[in-house]
Amino acid sequence: RVLRTADSVTPGLPAWQVLASLAAFASVYAILLAIWLVVLRETVRKGPDVAGAAPTVGYIPSSPGAGPVSAAQDGGSRQGAEAPGRAGHGTAWPAGTEAAGSGTGEAGE
């Protein structure tokens, strides 16, 4: 048995009520879209909060070319003190830089 469109219509529901319901639904979502666009615009205008940003994990400020890629390319032969907690593993901090934290590499300090 097939349900025909004529049989599925509610007889007591006028077309203007369906249209009013659809218009109210569309209006609410149009208002929400407008609010979201205003908030998005203000967020983009403000830009990122660089001062409050957390540093990248494992990043140690140093001279150019002293990053992990350059250390891997030259076999880890950087000049300087051994990295904390990595003595004898061929990993050294670039000269003139300090590791983040207490310098021991131990957890909880």
Side-chain angles (χ1 to χ4, degrees):
R1 182 176 154 143
V2 177
L3 177 64
R4 301 196 186 280
T5 305
D7 297 334
S8 65
V9 175
T10 305
L13 184 63
W16 70 268
Q17 286 182 340
V18 174
L19 184 61
S21 175
L22 182 61
F25 181 81
S27 298
V28 168
Y29 279 96
I31 291 169
L32 289 175
L33 174 65
I35 292 169
W36 180 75
L37 288 174
V38 168
V39 170
L40 179 66
R41 184 184 65 198
E42 294 304 315
T43 303
V44 169
R45 280 185 181 173
K46 180 181 175 187
D49 184 17
V50 178
T56 305
V57 175
Y59 173 73
I60 300 170
S62 61
S63 61
V69 173
S70 62
Q73 289 171 343
D74 68 3
S77 62
R78 293 271 166 228
Q79 299 295 321
E82 285 292 323
R86 303 274 299 165
H89 288 86
T91 303
W93 299 118
T97 62
E98 294 180 3
S102 64
T104 62
E106 298 292 325
E109 292 189 6

